[in-house]
């Protein structure tokens, strides 16, 4: 799974975000809890552009 985050958010909360995503996959999809593979791609704030609405 690839996860794109603003760099400072990844530095502050990356581990907790990864733990939450992993637990959601285990709970919702009954994924094997030992099957954890995540790639965090970090970006400067101006590199992530989206419509917040």
């Amino acid at each position: 799974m690839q996860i794109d985050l603003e760099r400072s958010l990844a530095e502050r909360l990356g581990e907790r975000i990864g733990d939450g995503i992993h637990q959601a996959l285990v709970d919702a999809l009954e994924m094997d809890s030992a099957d954890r593979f995540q790639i965090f791609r970090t970006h400067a704030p101006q590199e992530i552009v989206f419509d917040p609405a």
Side-chain angles (χ1 to χ4, degrees):
M1 169 174 286
Q2 262 183 209
I3 303 155
D4 290 86
L5 291 172
E6 191 270 317
R7 189 167 285 115
S8 68
L9 180 62
E11 290 169 356
R12 287 183 291 119
L13 299 173
E15 186 175 347
R16 288 178 59 193
I17 291 169
D19 289 345
I21 291 169
H22 178 70
Q23 192 60 53
L25 291 169
V26 170
D27 294 345
L29 302 177
E30 298 180 3
M31 188 177 82
D32 182 348
S33 63
D35 184 11
R36 184 171 182 155
F37 183 79
Q38 300 171 345
I39 298 171
F40 282 84
R41 296 185 330 175
T42 60
H43 303 275
Q46 69 275 13
E47 294 176 328
I48 299 177
V49 179
F50 63 95
D51 180 359

